[in-house]
Amino acid sequence: MRRTGRVFLLLLAVVLSSRPFAVFAQDAVLDELTADDEFRWGVTAMHAGRVNEAIASFNRSLSFSPERPITRYWLGRAYYYAGFEQAALDEWERIAERDGATSVLNTWIERVELEQGLTRERLGDEVAPGRYVSMVSLPGEADGLEIFRSPTMITPRDDGYFYVSSFATHTVVLLDPNGVRESVIDGGIEGFDLPFDVAILDDGSLLVSEFGADRIALVSPAGFKVGSFGTTGLGDGEFLGPQFLALDGESNLYVSDYGNRRVSKFTVDGEFLLDFGGPMRGFDGLVSPGGIAVLQDRVFVADTDLRRIVAFDESGNYLSQITFPLMQAPEGLSAFDDRRLLVSDGNVLYLIDVETEIVSVLSESADGRRFMGAAVDANRNLLVADHDSSSVLVMAASEELYTGLNVEIDHVISADFPTVFAAVTVTDRNGEPLLGLDESNFRVTENRFGTGAAEVVRAGYLDGESAVSLVLAPGIDPLAAQTAALEVYD
């Protein structure tokens, strides 16, 4: 089920504004009043979810005042929500052609064009993304309080939050999408010994590699250390400096064992399955295994000192390796999407297409930073662990950075005025939702004056299971109706 960025705000209405109008000839005045009434009923119907009624009202409003841009804008929104994307695009382009384009209108036009594939040549899957630039640097220390130090890896959650493995403070820190510390996991009485990486299990539990203790810790969803597996040694299931972690589609765990120059594979319960990475036919063996990523049923391992990315199958058989002259010391690996690897290499982030082996530079810093690990978060930003400067960088594609966000008020419920509920969706330029927003991200104004703080009473991205009911009228194809319902559910 796709999570949404919709949030429900509790607002306090302070002032009701009235719209003055001039006195014209009687017929013109009546037309304007009727157009206003129909427009108002259309907006009310939209907020109540009655899209077809809204379309009828907006069209009636336009019959009395044909060139009113605000009405055509809302009619376009109604068409869009009803599934008539081309009709919506026609209305919005008509406004733009008459010099009525605004940033909001342009965002809607671009969204529909993207959905229809009209700009796919520019932004399609075959085109590598542009350079990523830093939006903000989250320091490990703020107001004299140490939050994390010498981060090694970032592990995003699907709600916009993310874990930072704080190597030097022996903790794992959970930050919210705004970079505010939510909690600290310290390993309880036993503690963590140089935690290096975190893997998230389906039930919300965590697996934490402890570089100093040569073990993997199991942490409950509530943040309590409840067990561990592994010990110091050279044998099966033993470690000499476990570092990076990765999970495959069967929830098996891969651990890069730096001191033993191998990768070990376990079940999530800690049962040892196999290890690999030693010399074999056609392969001279790993020397300094680092980051791991599982992509397309292949296990990719960064061999740092030999400046290469080595591919194995999930049984540990050697497949191939990727090298290129500019790669210096690759460490962290993660999946950028379903076919591309994100590689952290000193002060550079690379993107490698594992099918074509085409390499592109996503970001490069000239100030001596050390990008130990990076990952894509739920909001499609890059989160980068800068180990040497003890900071986390939040990066966005350069073409996204200056386009802004689109805030849509989907519904307004004012039956209990002056208490007003508003359903708000915040999306990027591609219509993708922004997750993890809270009260601090919203400022509600009326006529540019603040109306007081809004309260987020429910967030769509935190919704659990959803259900869809189908009521079929005679003559409706059940299979087509079920398909439509699944599209809505998704």
Side-chain angles (χ1 to χ4, degrees):
M1 180 181 69
R2 180 184 300 164
R3 296 176 183 269
T4 69
R6 179 177 296 177
V7 295
F8 293 82
L9 302 176
L10 176 62
L11 314 177
L12 181 62
V14 177
V15 180
L16 282 177
S17 62
S18 60
R19 180 175 181 267
F21 53 87
V23 177
F24 301 97
Q26 185 174 4
D27 290 345
V29 172
L30 290 176
D31 285 349
E32 286 294 316
L33 287 173
T34 304
D36 286 344
D37 286 341
E38 292 293 349
F39 174 74
R40 183 169 60 253
W41 283 115
V43 173
T44 301
M46 280 280 289
H47 288 165
R50 302 191 302 272
V51 179
N52 289 335
E53 291 183 26
I55 292 174
S57 291
F58 292 140
N59 275 309
R60 285 194 294 267
S61 178
L62 288 171
S63 70
F64 292 99
S65 183
E67 298 304 326
R68 184 182 290 183
I70 187 64
T71 308
R72 291 201 176 276
Y73 165 74
W74 275 87
L75 177 59
R77 288 189 60 178
Y79 279 141
Y80 179 83
Y81 288 126
F84 304 114
E85 293 183 351
Q86 187 56 52
L89 189 60
D90 291 342
E91 294 296 334
W92 293 330
E93 288 181 339
R94 180 170 177 172
I95 300 172
E97 289 170 359
R98 288 164 171 75
D99 297 325
T102 63
S103 59
V104 173
L105 183 66
N106 288 333
T107 297
W108 277 104
I109 292 173
E110 186 175 46
R111 176 187 300 185
V112 175
E113 289 179 342
L114 284 169
E115 291 175 356
Q116 293 184 338
L118 300 179
T119 57
R120 192 62 59 193
E121 182 178 351
R122 180 172 60 89
L123 296 173
D125 295 335
E126 300 299 326
V127 180
R131 289 294 186 104
Y132 273 67
V133 295
S134 180
M135 294 190 297
V136 64
S137 176
L138 305 175
E141 182 177 332
D143 299 325
L145 177 66
E146 188 171 59
I147 304 171
F148 56 82
R149 179 157 38 99
S150 301
T152 48
M153 193 61 187
I154 308 293
T155 308
R157 297 196 325 195
D158 59 7
D159 60 358
Y161 288 69
F162 57 95
Y163 294 100
V164 178
S165 300
S166 181
F167 189 76
T169 63
H170 306 279
T171 58
V172 174
V173 182
L174 177 64
L175 302 181
D176 72 11
N178 295 309
V180 177
R181 185 177 66 179
E182 179 74 11
S183 62
V184 176
I185 304 172
D186 60 9
I189 296 176
E190 187 178 36
F192 292 131
D193 191 350
L194 301 177
F196 203 96
D197 196 4
V198 173
I200 304 175
L201 303 181
D202 291 339
D203 65 353
S205 300
L206 306 179
L207 294 172
V208 181
S209 59
E210 295 186 65
F211 182 84
D214 295 324
R215 67 190 175 199
I216 307 299
L218 175 63
V219 177
S220 71
F224 299 105
K225 188 176 181 180
V226 296
S228 64
F229 59 87
T231 187
T232 303
L234 306 178
D236 293 346
E238 297 178 337
F239 302 111
L240 291 177
Q243 295 185 333
F244 294 92
L245 306 176
L247 295 168
D248 64 17
E250 303 298 324
S251 294
N252 295 311
L253 177 71
Y254 299 83
V255 184
S256 63
D257 186 354
Y258 185 85
N260 282 319
R261 298 187 176 186
R262 67 189 180 192
V263 173
S264 294
K265 181 178 180 179
F266 300 83
T267 69
V268 292
D269 297 322
E271 177 187 353
F272 174 77
L273 297 175
L274 57 92
D275 60 47
F276 57 90
M280 63 183 74
R281 190 170 194 176
F283 179 59
D284 55 356
L286 297 171
V287 172
S288 50
I292 307 177
V294 180
L295 201 61
Q296 298 182 351
D297 298 325
R298 286 179 282 176
V299 183
F300 294 89
V301 183
D303 198 357
T304 304
D305 291 346
L306 294 186
R307 305 179 181 183
R308 62 185 179 180
I309 310 296
V310 185
F312 303 86
D313 64 22
E314 293 182 350
S315 296
N317 299 303
Y318 168 75
L319 298 175
S320 62
Q321 57 184 287
I322 302 171
T323 61
F324 56 95
L326 295 179
M327 190 155 54
Q328 297 299 314
E331 292 186 274
L333 292 185
S334 64
F336 183 84
D337 52 28
D338 60 1
R339 75 177 197 186
R340 292 182 287 196
L341 283 175
L342 179 61
V343 183
S344 303
D345 182 11
N347 65 334
V348 184
L349 295 176
Y350 291 109
L351 195 64
I352 300 178
D353 189 314
V354 299
E355 296 178 358
T356 64
E357 297 189 7
I358 294 175
V359 180
S360 56
V361 177
L362 279 189
S363 182
E364 183 175 8
S365 175
D367 55 6
R369 294 182 183 273
R370 182 185 176 189
F371 298 155
M372 180 77 80
V376 180
D377 73 0
N379 291 317
R380 300 155 300 281
N381 298 315
L382 289 186
L383 303 176
V384 185
D386 186 351
H387 181 270
D388 289 359
S389 70
S390 287
S391 63
V392 171
L393 303 181
V394 182
M395 295 184 173
S398 56
E399 64 265 25
E400 304 283 344
L401 190 60
Y402 302 106
T403 56
L405 301 173
N406 188 37
V407 181
E408 305 167 28
I409 301 178
D410 300 319
H411 306 292
V412 175
I413 304 172
S414 56
D416 295 328
F417 185 84
T419 299
V420 178
F421 289 90
V424 179
T425 302
V426 182
T427 57
D428 62 17
R429 67 193 292 261
N430 296 323
E432 296 292 337
L434 205 65
L435 306 184
L437 301 178
D438 58 26
E439 288 89 349
S440 65
N441 298 111
F442 294 92
R443 180 171 180 264
V444 182
T445 64
E446 185 170 2
N447 294 329
R448 299 186 180 182
F449 292 97
T451 61
E455 176 188 351
V456 175
V457 295
R458 187 169 69 86
Y461 68 92
L462 296 177
D463 283 351
E465 296 182 357
S466 299
V468 175
S469 297
L470 296 179
V471 179
L472 301 183
I476 298 297
D477 181 0
L479 180 59
Q482 183 181 15
T483 301
L486 289 175
E487 291 176 353
V488 172
Y489 179 79
D490 184 55

